[in-house]
Amino acid sequence: MQVHESTTVATFADLRVDGARLWDSLMQLARIGATDKGGVCRLALTELDREARDLFIAWAKEIGCTVRIDAIGNIFARRAGLRDDLAPVMTGSHIDTQPTGGKFDGNYGVLAGLEVLRTLADANVRTLAPLEVAVWTNEEGSRFVPVMMGSGVFAGAFTLEHALEQRDREGVSVRDALSRIGYAGENEKPHAVGAYFEAHIEQGPVLEAHDKTIGVVQGALGQRWYDVTVHGMEAHAGPTPMELRRDALLVAADLIHAVNRIALDHAPHGRGTVGWLDVHPNSRNVIPGRVTLTVDLRAADDATLTAMDSALRAACSLAGEKAGITVDVEQVVYFPPQPFAAELVGAVKQGADTLGFASMDVISGAGHDAVYLARVAPAAMIFVPCKDGISHNEIEDARADHLEAGCNVLLQAMLNAAQKAGSADA
Amino acid sequence: MQVHESTTVATFADLRVDGARLWDSLMQLARIGATDKGGVCRLALTELDREARDLFIAWAKEIGCTVRIDAIGNIFARRAGLRDDLAPVMTGSHIDTQPTGGKFDGNYGVLAGLEVLRTLADANVRTLAPLEVAVWTNEEGSRFVPVMMGSGVFAGAFTLEHALEQRDREGVSVRDALSRIGYAGENEKPHAVGAYFEAHIEQGPVLEAHDKTIGVVQGALGQRWYDVTVHGMEAHAGPTPMELRRDALLVAADLIHAVNRIALDHAPHGRGTVGWLDVHPNSRNVIPGRVTLTVDLRAADDATLTAMDSALRAACSLAGEKAGITVDVEQVVYFPPQPFAAELVGAVKQGADTLGFASMDVISGAGHDAVYLARVAPAAMIFVPCKDGISHNEIEDARADHLEAGCNVLLQAMLNAAQKAGSADA
């Protein structure tokens, strides 16, 4: 069919976002829930979240977007395409934060999307497929679990009903919290998405270590999370000779080393972390009787992740047997590895190359809304460096030029996808 | 000089304590502060402590003892000797307990001493030197630190003034707590002690493991306690590749192993324990940025303890360097090793042999009032088994026949010392 448009792809290629406007919007949004240390505390579905949502919607409407809210509170700001029957090319992220969160995690992805739409509005050009910016509800999971709640419901990872029933520590349900802030929208079937991009700060040190501006994200690591309990025998540190001890912490130390070794044995993408550990009774002169610890294993493919799982269970058995101690292992979370769509990943890479930004292939070690979106649409992500790889921290920081670069790559990748959407059925 | 006595050593050797009376008194004392789980919660200088002290004093007076209280609340129940100018042969322990303490820890030593005096009263015999039973204030240190407060003041380990100024978590000082329960006694110079014995449950598993009734305690291990802080770099478990991590818990695991190895390298008496460990931020998917942990090293002689100290510091440096991480080590407590007096230890051994009890040489891994008394008088201890080596626990348990056996050994050892006191200046 004939493409009805006044602009050409060549014209699109010349478009550039306004980096200063993007930065200003980030700073303006960061004032809602700003902390003394320069971070943001804006938990999901609080009054502060409502304020931030209202601001985003006001901005989207200023440039002529239509706005819809779904039943889990996800916001979709839509800029009509020339062919509104085509599935939209979508971008987005989240604007809820950790209790001691930063200004960029999530917020960047949402406002980079808004900046793309603003750029097109300024240029008075229209894409073939419609474009949408999504604000996903409760990505962080700090107030309500599961994490990535809005995108999870959208992608069918769990049901709307399950999500609505979750409660925070004060007993407030997601359902009630949504109603209170006026963001309980229509319960309708999730709409088709033609392509999904998400720009995000890296939250890790790789781009900075390699002095690259753009991370071309190939996919997300699969994850297995475990609760491990080591059952020793509590006893006095003084009167109990070494050979008569059953020290749970000594076995836990074996496991901490094992988890590290398992990750190293599965390089380059294998990761293993003991992040949480609790000693009972945790007294200076008492041999630990019980240690509970968490294990977080990640890998790029399921075969590797399964091998790491086996290695962990073997290490627990071995360490326990050696010490005459019981070690319980319970898997509590599983996220499968999620490769991104080759074509969209290629568009990100091409965008970075065309714009002259140093880029590298990376893999997302963390979960993102894009990982759920990849279950229902072609998806890809664009990473930009964050200072010292630090996020989920009030000192989280990122460079304005990097944020602008990532936004320009997002613009080009979205335009590319929006125009191809037409050619696919031409 | 001539020994003025109607009884002979031979007569003394035939004396036996009343095991049932000892057990009954233990059970009666245990009712003051009894817990649902069969233990005792009777913190130092509380109303319950006062009740227990009052009961002990009533019992002591029933058999004609004189009772004095010193300025830190130590109680001395004295049974006059034929030669009251001689320094008393003393025994004792404590009747304060841990919050979840048992019926025997400390209480046994006090009531075994009382049973010795009761036995002599029943037999209507008098020793050459006077005998005393001491109840030392606040051995446990659960409410006020330092631990072994009463015996520490008596032995000059720290000043009376320092002890009186200590406060509990509610801000109540030792001085005020003593006044409230009516146990702030005379501030007089500690009196001379001719010999000090202390009977105690072992609080460890060695006697039980070797099927022995009497532990002939050779001395107490020296102790060095440390606070260790490992400074890593907090980062996301997902996005941070293994090679870019500075994981504080991984270094802590090295140290846990090192502490264990250092103890094993200094067998048979070397002990090393990491009993307390705190992870920051202690989040499942965050690489630990900081770990603080305690180290408790013990050894029978100071040269060994010093070598263990050096090995610990070397291990901290090595583990830190390897990981590019700072490790701070601070020694917070030092108790020197304390050998007991050979002659008194011999008397304990001889008592066990004469009475036909299976005994073995042991060393005290824990601190006891006797360890401070050994600084100002010849001292020794008698251990009896406790079930599964468990103490500082409501399920702490001991066998009546073992308690009786230890008490008979105490009787013989005290009589031996009390009669020798005369011969020394004969």
Side-chain angles (χ1 to χ4, degrees), chain B residues 131-216:
Chain B
L131 302 185
E132 289 192 6
V133 179
V135 179
W136 304 109
T137 292
N138 182 34
E139 194 268 354
E140 293 291 0
S142 296
R143 181 178 175 200
F144 300 103
V145 288
V147 298
M148 304 188 293
M149 181 177 276
S151 53
V153 167
F154 187 85
F158 38 84
T159 65
L160 170 65
E161 202 50 38
H162 174 75
L164 292 175
E165 283 167 4
Q166 302 308 309
R167 290 175 187 278
D168 68 7
R169 291 203 179 92
E170 271 70 51
V172 179
S173 70
V174 170
R175 188 189 310 275
D176 290 346
L178 277 167
S179 293
R180 283 185 199 176
I181 66 164
Y183 274 88
E186 295 295 310
N187 185 5
E188 53 192 24
K189 195 166 165 286
H191 58 291
V193 176
Y196 181 81
F197 294 96
E198 183 168 346
H200 209 283
I201 55 168
E202 181 197 356
Q203 303 186 273
V206 176
L207 292 176
E208 202 173 58
H210 290 83
D211 198 20
K212 303 292 184 189
T213 301
I214 300 294
V216 181

Side-chain angles (χ1 to χ4, degrees), chain B residues 40-61:
Chain B
V40 179
C41 174
R42 192 165 63 229
L43 298 187
L45 309 186
T46 56
E47 273 303 302
L48 290 170
D49 189 13
R50 183 190 57 72
E51 266 188 68
R53 287 163 171 262
D54 290 355
L55 178 61
F56 170 80
I57 289 173
W59 279 338
K61 288 186 171 169

Side-chain angles (χ1 to χ4, degrees), chain A residues 58-73:
Chain A
W59 279 338
K61 287 186 172 170
E62 272 174 19
I63 53 168
C65 290
T66 55
V67 173
R68 274 179 310 154
I69 316 292
D70 74 8
I72 193 62

Side-chain angles (χ1 to χ4, degrees), chain A residues 193-213:
Chain A
V193 176
Y196 181 81
F197 294 95
E198 184 169 346
H200 208 285
I201 56 167
E202 182 197 354
Q203 301 185 275
V206 177
L207 292 176
E208 202 173 59
H210 291 83
D211 198 19
K212 303 292 184 189
T213 301

Side-chain angles (χ1 to χ4, degrees), chain A residues 232-400:
Chain A
M233 172 64 87
E234 190 176 322
H236 260 246
T240 312
M242 302 309 289
E243 68 274 14
L244 294 177
R245 297 179 172 208
R246 287 192 281 151
D247 184 338
L249 187 56
L250 197 58
V251 171
D254 288 347
L255 299 183
I256 294 165
H257 280 141
V259 166
N260 189 60
R261 183 181 43 68
I262 289 166
L264 293 174
D265 286 348
H266 295 86
H269 294 309
R271 287 173 202 172
T273 307
V274 177
W276 187 95
L277 186 141
D278 181 73
V279 179
H280 179 83
N282 218 27
S283 173
R284 187 186 279 280
N285 55 356
V286 180
I287 299 160
R290 189 178 71 245
V291 173
T292 44
L293 57 97
T294 61
V295 175
D296 173 332
L297 297 180
R298 306 194 188 201
D301 63 275
D302 234 348
T304 304
L305 196 54
T306 303
M308 292 171 75
D309 173 85
S310 300
L312 173 68
R313 291 175 191 277
C316 289
S317 296
L318 182 69
E321 266 171 42
K322 201 179 71 177
I325 274 180
T326 309
V327 179
D328 296 331
V329 185
E330 187 193 358
Q331 181 178 305
V332 292
V333 164
Y334 169 62
F335 288 109
Q338 181 62 65
F340 285 146
E343 195 180 2
L344 301 203
V345 173
V348 170
K349 170 69 176 156
Q350 190 192 325
D353 289 350
T354 306
L355 293 164
F357 299 129
S359 72
M360 68 183 286
D361 291 353
V362 294
I363 192 146
S364 175
H368 291 290
D369 294 309
V371 178
Y372 276 149
L373 265 292
R375 298 189 182 183
V376 292
M381 291 189 79
I382 301 158
F383 278 175
V384 295
C386 58
K387 188 168 177 344
D388 299 327
I390 294 171
S391 75
H392 286 201
N393 192 310
E394 290 161 272
I395 64 164
E396 178 184 283
D397 203 4
R399 275 169 48 180

